[in-house]
Amino acid sequence: MKRITNSVSPLILTIFILFSQVTFAQVEGISIVSAENYFLDKDYRNALIGFEDYLQGIQFNRDVAYKAGICATRLGIGKKGIYHITNAKSAGKSDNYLPFWLGRSYHLDEQWDSASKYLEQYLDVFPIDKSFKREADLYLKQIELAKSMMPTTLQPVVIEDMGSGINSVYSEFHPMLTQDGKMLVYSSRKKGYMEEKLMDDGEYKEKIFMSRKLEDGSWSKGIPIRLVEGRNKDLDYLPIQLLDNDTKLLLCKIQNNEVKLFISEYVNESWKLPYQVPMEQDPRFFTGDIIFSNDLKKVVFTTDGNTNKFQNDLYTSSFDSKTEKWSEPSYLGKNVDSNKDEAAPFFIDEKTLVFSSKSENGLGDFDLFKTEWDEEKKTWKAPVNMGFPYNTPNNDFYFFTQTGKSDVQYFSSVRGSTRGQTDIYRVTKTAIVEGKGLIKDETGKPVPSANLMFDDPENYQNVKISTNAEGRFSGKLVAGQTYLVHYEKNNVMLEGVLKISFPADPAQLGNLDVQLIPKTAPKTETESGSSSGE
């Protein structure tokens, strides 16, 4: 069963973005020589680890910084790509491909104007490499689409990283929340057992984990669900979905080129040994992502059939109870399937399907799309891009929401706070509120008559707000959001954090005071070096 996180290219997946966090804790001590070899082998993940070890622990080198930026960009890490490449550029690094890598980094970080500037610069001065030209043209098209889709007003939506209990420096995806909201079942490629070995791609084998919600609202450390007696044998099970009010977990197991369905029941706060579902399935159902209807009589799945140049497309099949046979899988049609990959289907209800696609109507890589069933025409309507804040220029997939609870949703994504190759995020529909407060500088004095940016790192709804002569501000903000407040004073950037509760507390909304402190400037030393056009 080919999962989406294992099937996409290195250019798409990322490890995590914020360079202020601990980087790649699972691998340590990669020498600069090994990093160079990894770079030549296009193992950008391990190369980046080694390059950053060198830059942070030994000395700055503009060539090493440039290659670190290329690695970060190849992995989809926009902020880190910008950081390393601009440091190399400031130190005198010159390379024909530098504008391309810098433009792509800004694209990944959703800084559209800077991205366009550098990508166009690359096309103007160095349009020789056809493959890079095609990519630059594609990114410019995606940037224009993104700019046209940016919300012009505040959206009452908050997207939150699920935290370190669930997300790690490895891939986390396919979230499933129980009806009581107290347990999250998900897939992860982090280590679950002592005997496990890293696979060739630097991650462990996919396993099923669960995490419980704690009293303070955070999530416990995820632990692997043991589905058989003994050790490590349950690694062959893959999760499909929760059934029967989340008391059952539908699983599949691939063995000896056969695929069988199993169910594990949740009893006395533990998942029991799975039993097999007495139903024969078409093996093609399990060549990609899959979702069944609750009665297990209908399925939508992805497979790389011959309909569309062997891309992953969406197919469906129905079970006939009389014949006890599945219908021949049928293509969902050109109205839904694009000429690019589709993946991760999910039924919101019987007439609404969410899935991910690399369609040209997307912002880049996999985007979330929604389609509805047209009962009159007996077909699925043309999919609609779910737009911001759901989609990014990176991967966005494995959407999940509970039946009848559309105000809270979950999905996997690569974005500003990502710790691993993919992380799980929670989406909450909240409210727009009027906030007032005092902005104070690093000395505690009010910041009068100043323009400040209230930066929303996940939802693309940054807000510019000004203070009055007394240093007080008033403006529309999103309840439940955590803002990073920026202000530049005497060429020094000051920053502060503002978190607004949800449901909003009226008393808090009138006293949103923010204490600013100087932002630590990155280390920049110069050292000469040779060019690299990787």
Side-chain angles (χ1 to χ4, degrees), residues 429-441:
K429 296 180 181 179
T430 64
I432 306 298
V433 296
E434 182 76 23
K436 300 178 180 180
L438 178 68
I439 304 295
K440 296 177 285 187
D441 64 16

Side-chain angles (χ1 to χ4, degrees), residues 35-60:
E36 292 283 0
N37 289 331
Y38 284 128
F39 186 74
L40 292 174
D41 290 339
K42 298 184 179 181
D43 182 348
Y44 300 113
R45 178 174 181 154
N46 282 321
L48 181 57
I49 297 167
F51 289 147
E52 291 194 325
D53 283 347
Y54 184 87
L55 292 169
Q56 296 170 5
I58 299 177
Q59 62 179 337
F60 179 85

Side-chain angles (χ1 to χ4, degrees), residues 85-103:
I85 296 172
T86 53
N87 275 353
K89 185 173 183 286
S90 297
K93 179 64 182 177
S94 177
D95 183 271
N96 286 331
Y97 290 90
L98 191 148
F100 172 86
W101 293 116
L102 195 52

Side-chain angles (χ1 to χ4, degrees), residues 6 26-27 45 169-171 173 188-207 209 235:
N6 299 335
Q26 75 275 22
V27 182
R45 178 174 181 154
V169 293
Y170 300 96
S171 296
F173 53 101
S188 176
R189 296 195 59 198
K190 60 188 171 187
K191 189 172 184 177
Y193 309 100
M194 291 297 294
E195 299 86 351
E196 279 193 90
K197 303 294 183 183
L198 281 169
M199 301 183 75
D200 290 342
D201 62 359
E203 297 201 293
Y204 295 93
K205 190 172 182 178
E206 177 185 342
K207 293 170 292 297
F209 280 73
L235 296 180

Side-chain angles (χ1 to χ4, degrees), residues 435-438 473 477 498-500 508-514:
K436 300 178 180 180
L438 178 68
F473 75 90
L477 297 168
L498 172 62
K499 182 173 179 58
I500 303 175
Q508 182 204 28
L509 292 177
N511 296 280
L512 298 175
D513 294 356
V514 181

Side-chain angles (χ1 to χ4, degrees), residues 332-337 371 379-383:
L332 255 64
K334 294 182 179 179
N335 204 31
V336 175
D337 288 310
T371 179
T379 187
W380 292 98
K381 297 179 181 179

Side-chain angles (χ1 to χ4, degrees), residues 148 151-152 165 196 206 214 225 231 287 320 363-364 381 477 531:
S148 71
T152 57
E196 279 193 90
E206 177 185 342
L214 303 176
I225 297 177
R231 312 187 77 179
T287 58
D320 188 327
L363 305 181
K381 297 179 181 179
L477 297 168
S531 295

